Amino acid sequence: MSFDTYFRACSYAMIGVAMLALVLAGGLHLGLALAFAAVLVLAWKIEGTRWQFSERVGLVVVLLSIPLFFIDWHLQGAFGGARERLGVNALAHLIVFLSAVKLLQVKSDRDWVFLYLISFFEVLLAAGLSLNPVFLGTLILYVFCGLLTISAFEIRKAGRLIEVAETRLLVAPDAKLFRRFAAGLRNSNTAVRRLPLMALALLVLIFVLALPLFLIAPRAGSAALSRGGPGLSNFIGFSENVSLGEIGTLKASNEVVMRVRIEGPLSPQKLRWRGVALDEFTGRGWRKSPVARDSVNKTAEHGLIQVGYTSSLHLLTTQTIFLEAIESPVLFALPRPVAIQGEFPSLRLDTEGSIQSRRRQLDRIKYKALSDTSEPEPQILRRDDGRDPQTFGRYLALPRSLDLRIIELADTMVSNHRARSRYDIARAIETDLQQNYGYSLEMKASGPEPLSDFLFNVRAGHCEYFSTAMAVLLRTQGIPSRVVNGFLPGEYNEAADAFTVRQSDAHSWVEVFFPETGSWVTFDPTPAAGRIEPQSTGVAAQLGKYVEALQLMWFQYVIGYDKQEQRSLATSLQNQAFHYQSVLAKWLTILRSVTWYKLLLGLCLVLLAVLLGLLVSRIRRLGWRGLKLAGMHDDAQHSAVVFYERMTAELAKRGIERSPEQTPLEFAVSVGLNEALAITSAYNRVRFGSQRLSGTEQEQIEQMLRELEQQSLN
């Protein structure tokens, strides 16, 4: 490959990767990207031919294309394009057009620089549009191509300023490093091979130097500054007023809602991400009563916002939640959250234990939640039949138009199980609903009283019907209950060590109040078919898990990297340093107990092992010949030194010696012997040209040396 071809290949690769980054970020339609790829191929083919545009024609086309930017902008708006993306799309189209024109014209140095600047602007635009870790891959590839291109551009530019001339002066006699470098650059293929390695080394150096700055640099704002794109629209079921069946609509989507990482063991069967609790049943849905709407504002203290209490710190379960952009201010956590840690100035906590942040402008957020997931043992709950607080009347309220058959059904369920305590009644109703009704995502129950239609006609539905039925049946028995909307644990991703929670994991369950312990206990009447998490299998599913793990790392350590993560990293490094310090102290204690002669013997053994390792390494690299003396080595380069020294020694016997300022070739010319010129020429080729002598050439040189020695004897 010639150097000019190498330069053009690097430049085209840099431009192409920048366009790829813009496409992957969603800033350019795939059709336009394919058209631009065709332009790249065409520009490569016509490079240096008469088919290229002249610079004047290219300039005229560029100037005439500027009004097209505004026309494109208005046309997209007329055809219903997204308002916030009109300017971005029009700008991307203009960039593509300008790049295509510049590629097809005759290019001077300033045209190449213009193309490089456009490619850099494309990468910046892609960075603003993408939150995907794929962008990191394209960025690394772009930086690598950029290093190759800029170095080749500078070499190409400097090469035009150097006059090519031949000289008998090869190199300075003692500049060994320069001789090797010059010998390598004389071969264009060697130079082309070495430049990518140099660019790769620079790329690694850049990232190594930039990483500490990234990890310790202060962050302005919070993790919530990361935009989540258009967000999850129609995110229903988590407001103050929910119609019966809305959760089922939400479960029809497979979009990711959040990813959760848990510290400490916890059974997946007990995992539920609590969202909102609703206490008033209207007959056709649930809503928050006026009392439940009351909320208190909780502010941060020492980085934590306290939202509850716990009897013991060891009962707390820590969750790190990466919440996607959703149309709801609700924060999710395991039941009974005690504290929230995140970049929140304050949070709102209602009387039902639901937590809300400020209204988010479709932002991704990251936070930690500490929850006390412990519940009283069944034996304790069975004995818990105390009187409910007087203010709990809203948890017993029923619609005036409630079907009386529901009361009869509740009495039948309780009597069939011979339940007496509050706990046993709740379990009886839960078991009957699980065993005698079917699970279905179809909203078959309808009419003015959908709950009655579900219980007595359809007898099948999704989780929201089951939780509503259980809560109403419990209230007919005088047991306070409320409905909670949230999510099942989701699918566990081993690669990310986190749960991936999707909209299809949306779930509804029941919380029952026990007065003596003062606790709300979770019950889930939905049949097992509605609570079993589907597990992805196969190669594609496993690869998808690794992609999700990469996305989670990208969100946690790049997009959402904040002061909290910095503190976590500092703590981790401190713990590691303490661990190594402990190990070092342990070894020092052991060494102090060892006598001096044992220590000396150990050092000798270590030194012997090092020498043996070096010897084995030399044998593996050079073979057994590597053990021979340098002068006895039969390698071609060493042979060159030997036969040239034999010649100079023989000439020295005649009184002909080489002065220090002479090069080997100048010395051979001054001698005036054909044998000296031939031997010196072979010496230069081997020593400075990295060539090897053939067997025939070695025999000829040996013959010439013998003739010189024979002439001295005569």
Side-chain angles (χ1 to χ4, degrees):
M1 179 189 296
S2 67
F3 186 80
D4 185 62
T5 303
Y6 169 80
F7 164 73
R8 285 196 295 123
C10 294
S11 300
Y12 277 61
M14 180 180 176
I15 297 166
V17 170
M19 190 60 60
L20 177 64
L22 191 58
V23 173
L24 294 177
L28 191 66
H29 191 271
L30 182 60
L32 286 176
L34 294 176
F36 185 79
V39 171
L40 275 176
V41 175
L42 178 62
W44 179 274
K45 293 291 185 181
I46 66 174
E47 188 77 32
T49 67
R50 61 186 181 88
W51 298 105
Q52 286 185 289
F53 299 155
S54 65
E55 288 191 44
R56 180 173 297 179
V57 171
L59 179 61
V60 171
V61 173
V62 168
L63 293 176
L64 292 177
S65 67
I66 293 179
L68 295 177
F69 171 75
F70 300 98
I71 296 174
D72 184 27
W73 193 330
H74 290 291
L75 284 178
Q76 289 185 60
F79 285 101
R83 189 178 187 87
E84 65 274 6
R85 293 293 297 272
L86 295 182
V88 174
N89 292 338
L91 183 60
H93 297 165
L94 179 64
I95 289 173
V96 170
F97 184 78
L98 292 177
S99 298
V101 172
K102 283 294 182 182
L103 283 169
L104 294 174
Q105 76 169 46
V106 176
K107 290 176 281 297
S108 61
D109 285 348
R110 64 174 177 270
D111 296 312
W112 283 116
V113 172
F114 182 78
L115 284 169
Y116 301 155
L117 291 176
I118 287 182
S119 70
F120 180 70
F121 185 77
E122 289 170 355
V123 173
L124 288 181
L125 186 59
L129 294 173
S130 175
L131 292 175
N132 198 294
V134 173
F135 172 74
L136 178 62
T138 55
L139 176 63
I140 292 174
L141 187 58
Y142 176 79
V143 173
F144 177 67
C145 293
L147 290 171
L148 290 176
T149 303
I150 299 304
S151 59
F153 178 81
E154 289 298 325
I155 292 174
R156 176 174 174 267
K157 184 178 178 181
R160 293 197 297 265
L161 304 176
I162 299 175
E163 295 183 1
V164 180
E166 291 187 9
T167 176
R168 292 189 301 176
L169 182 62
L170 294 180
V171 290
D174 297 325
K176 295 182 180 180
L177 181 63
F178 182 77
R179 283 201 298 268
R180 288 197 200 101
F181 184 73
L185 288 181
R186 287 191 207 103
N187 188 340
S188 63
N189 290 330
T190 303
V192 168
R193 286 195 303 268
R194 289 182 179 179
L195 283 175
L197 294 177
M198 179 188 69
L200 183 61
L202 288 174
L203 177 66
V204 173
L205 183 62
I206 288 171
F207 276 87
V208 168
L209 294 177
L211 185 60
L213 295 177
F214 172 81
L215 294 176
I216 65 175
R219 295 297 192 270
S222 67
L225 293 176
S226 56
R227 290 287 178 184
L232 302 181
S233 58
N234 300 322
F235 198 76
I236 54 180
F238 296 94
S239 63
E240 295 183 349
N241 197 329
V242 180
S243 299
L244 197 59
E246 284 189 353
I247 288 290
T249 305
L250 191 66
K251 289 175 74 68
S253 173
N254 205 36
E255 292 289 332
V256 174
V257 176
M258 58 185 169
R259 297 175 176 88
V260 186
R261 183 173 289 141
I262 297 178
E263 297 178 18
L266 193 66
S267 173
Q269 288 76 16
K270 294 184 178 180
L271 292 180
R272 284 177 181 81
W273 313 114
R274 193 179 191 273
V276 297
L278 306 169
D279 63 333
E280 184 177 337
F281 181 58
T282 64
R284 300 182 64 86
W286 289 87
R287 66 187 180 192
K288 288 185 178 181
S289 65
V291 177
R293 289 194 188 99
D294 290 339
S295 60
V296 293
N297 204 49
K298 298 286 187 176
T299 57
E301 294 182 7
H302 307 292
L304 285 174
I305 300 178
Q306 184 177 349
V307 294
Y309 300 93
T310 181
S311 59
S312 179
L313 292 178
H314 79 274
L315 298 175
L316 295 180
T317 300
T318 303
Q319 316 121 65
T320 304
I321 300 170
F322 306 89
L323 186 62
E324 294 290 327
I326 60 176
E327 293 180 343
S328 173
V330 175
L331 298 182
F332 299 92
L334 290 174
R336 295 186 63 194
V338 175
I340 302 294
Q341 182 183 29
E343 297 294 329
F344 305 110
S346 64
L347 294 173
R348 295 194 308 275
L349 179 69
D350 66 19
T351 55
E352 305 303 319
S354 300
I355 306 170
Q356 295 184 0
S357 67
R358 62 173 176 80
R359 281 284 174 181
R360 300 190 295 273
Q361 300 299 318
L362 296 180
D363 295 327
R364 286 173 166 173
I365 61 173
K366 180 192 67 177
Y367 59 94
K368 283 190 176 184
L370 288 80
S371 301
D372 182 355
T373 58
S374 62
E375 291 183 348
E377 295 294 330
Q379 297 84 350
I380 299 176
L381 295 176
R382 282 192 175 93
R383 297 192 299 267
D384 193 338
D385 288 320
R387 303 184 70 179
D388 300 316
Q390 294 181 356
T391 57
F392 272 30
R394 68 182 189 275
Y395 298 118
L396 298 172
L398 294 168
R400 293 181 180 179
S401 60
L402 182 70
D403 191 337
L404 296 179
R405 292 180 298 171
I406 296 178
I407 301 176
E408 296 175 0
L409 178 61
D411 293 338
T412 301
M413 289 179 175
V414 172
S415 62
N416 288 342
H417 288 268
R418 298 178 181 179
R420 296 291 182 267
S421 68
R422 180 177 302 206
Y423 177 81
D424 289 332
I425 292 173
R427 285 298 181 207
I429 295 174
E430 179 188 54
T431 302
D432 265 22
L433 289 173
Q434 289 176 349
Q435 295 179 353
N436 299 324
Y437 291 81
Y439 182 81
S440 174
L441 283 177
E442 298 181 17
M443 293 178 58
K444 298 179 181 179
S446 59
E449 296 188 18
L451 179 58
S452 297
D453 194 31
F454 163 72
L455 287 173
F456 304 110
N457 299 324
V458 178
R459 300 182 66 85
H462 55 74
C463 58
E464 200 171 3
Y465 289 98
F466 285 94
S467 62
T468 299
M470 181 174 179
V472 172
L473 290 168
L474 285 171
R475 290 185 177 190
T476 65
Q477 300 297 306
I479 299 175
S481 59
R482 63 190 181 192
V483 166
V484 179
N485 290 342
F487 290 90
L488 290 170
E491 184 179 8
Y492 180 68
N493 186 342
E494 300 86 355
D497 189 25
F499 290 90
T500 301
V501 184
R502 306 179 185 275
Q503 289 193 61
S504 57
D505 297 312
H507 195 56
S508 183
W509 61 90
V510 178
E511 289 181 348
V512 180
F513 183 72
F514 290 83
E516 290 188 5
T517 58
S519 57
W520 288 92
V521 180
T522 297
F523 290 84
D524 194 344
T526 304
R531 291 180 282 114
I532 297 176
E533 293 286 353
Q535 297 295 323
S536 303
T537 58
V539 178
Q542 292 300 319
L543 291 177
K545 288 185 176 182
Y546 284 108
V547 172
E548 281 197 3
L550 180 61
Q551 290 176 342
L552 181 58
M553 291 177 60
W554 177 256
F555 181 37
Q556 180 177 3
Y557 296 112
V558 179
I559 298 173
Y561 188 78
D562 55 8
K563 294 178 181 178
Q564 181 178 326
E565 287 296 338
Q566 287 179 326
R567 287 193 294 268
S568 177
L569 177 63
T571 302
S572 176
L573 293 176
Q574 185 178 4
N575 292 338
Q576 289 292 332
F578 179 76
H579 171 71
Y580 291 132
Q581 184 179 359
S582 301
V583 172
L584 181 60
K586 180 180 178 181
W587 278 103
L588 288 176
T589 303
I590 295 174
L591 290 176
R592 289 192 189 100
S593 63
V594 179
T595 53
W596 66 270
Y597 62 88
K598 291 183 178 179
L599 181 61
L600 183 60
L601 179 61
L603 290 175
C604 292
L605 291 175
V606 170
L607 181 61
L608 182 62
V610 170
L611 293 176
L612 184 61
L614 293 174
L615 181 62
V616 171
S617 174
R618 182 175 181 84
I619 293 174
R620 289 183 62 183
R621 189 174 71 253
L622 302 175
W624 291 104
R625 293 177 300 173
L627 300 178
K628 299 179 181 180
L629 295 175
M632 300 174 61
H633 201 287
D634 59 354
D635 181 80
Q637 189 172 6
H638 290 79
S639 299
V641 177
V642 172
F643 69 68
Y644 185 75
E645 289 180 349
R646 283 177 59 188
M647 182 195 75
T648 53
E650 189 61 35
L651 292 175
K653 293 179 181 179
R654 305 182 185 183
I656 305 174
E657 294 185 0
R658 172 187 161 193
S659 61
E661 67 273 7
Q662 284 183 312
T663 65
L665 189 58
E666 289 173 337
F667 175 65
V669 171
S670 65
V671 171
L673 295 175
N674 292 333
E675 293 85 352
L677 281 172
I679 293 173
T680 302
S681 177
Y683 168 74
N684 283 336
R685 285 193 293 116
V686 174
R687 183 67 182 274
F688 307 116
S690 300
Q691 298 182 8
R692 290 181 177 274
L693 298 178
S694 64
T696 303
E697 289 175 325
Q698 292 182 15
E699 292 178 358
Q700 291 175 351
I701 290 173
E702 183 64 27
Q703 181 63 34
M704 285 186 284
L705 287 171
R706 290 176 181 173
E707 291 178 357
L708 286 175
E709 293 169 351
Q710 188 65 33
Q711 291 174 6
S712 298
L713 292 174
N714 295 334

